Amino acid sequence: MQESLSRASIQELKSTYEEAASLHGRASASGNHRAANAQYKRIATAWRELRGRGDEGRSTLMELIRSGNPAVRAWAASHVLEFAPELAEAELERLASGPPGVTRLDAEVTLSEWRAGNLRFD
């Protein structure tokens, strides 16, 4: 997959990331850890590729924070913490105060770990 994404356009990477984050959210909510793990790999691969595309990749991740899907916003915000922490933290705080569920818990844990200095971006 990594090789095919290395040749993908920014729009294709955005679509892959968004789809995988959405599917990861659904799989996590239903307790399907195998499906969630598979989607995590797709998210991570798309993120690494977007990250390597410089300003255009970073802008794309920031666009994803405005997705209509809370799971996509949570993943994008966690990746945007690296270069736009104010924007990312604001979205994670909104998600952490949202309805109970996996996305809320993910946002709470991400914020806690970020603020404790435990997140790495490599």
Side-chain angles (χ1 to χ4, degrees):
M1 175 194 292
Q2 191 152 2
E3 185 176 316
S4 66
L5 288 183
S6 68
R7 294 187 299 263
S9 70
I10 288 288
Q11 187 56 46
E12 290 167 327
L13 291 169
K14 180 181 180 183
S15 294
T16 297
Y17 186 105
E18 191 165 23
E19 177 186 51
S22 176
L23 291 171
H24 181 275
R26 276 193 254 153
S28 295
S30 69
N32 186 343
H33 69 278
R34 284 193 174 99
N37 288 343
Q39 296 310 315
Y40 168 78
K41 290 176 185 174
R42 290 181 65 212
I43 295 164
T45 301
W47 168 66
R48 280 191 295 277
E49 191 59 39
L50 284 166
R51 187 178 187 227
R53 302 278 180 105
D55 289 342
E56 192 174 12
R58 286 188 292 276
S59 292
T60 299
L61 287 166
M62 289 190 301
E63 287 172 24
L64 288 165
I65 286 180
R66 294 187 304 270
S67 169
N69 185 315
V72 174
R73 292 196 313 271
W75 273 108
S78 71
H79 288 134
V80 169
L81 280 168
E82 178 181 25
F83 56 87
E86 299 84 13
L87 173 69
E89 283 187 77
E91 182 56 35
L92 288 168
E93 287 170 357
R94 276 190 288 280
L95 292 167
S97 64
V102 174
T103 301
R104 177 176 164 176
L105 178 61
D106 286 346
E108 290 170 349
V109 171
T110 300
L111 279 170
S112 175
E113 291 299 304
W114 168 252
R115 290 172 175 160
N118 295 330
L119 292 185
R120 294 181 4 183
F121 298 98
D122 43 277

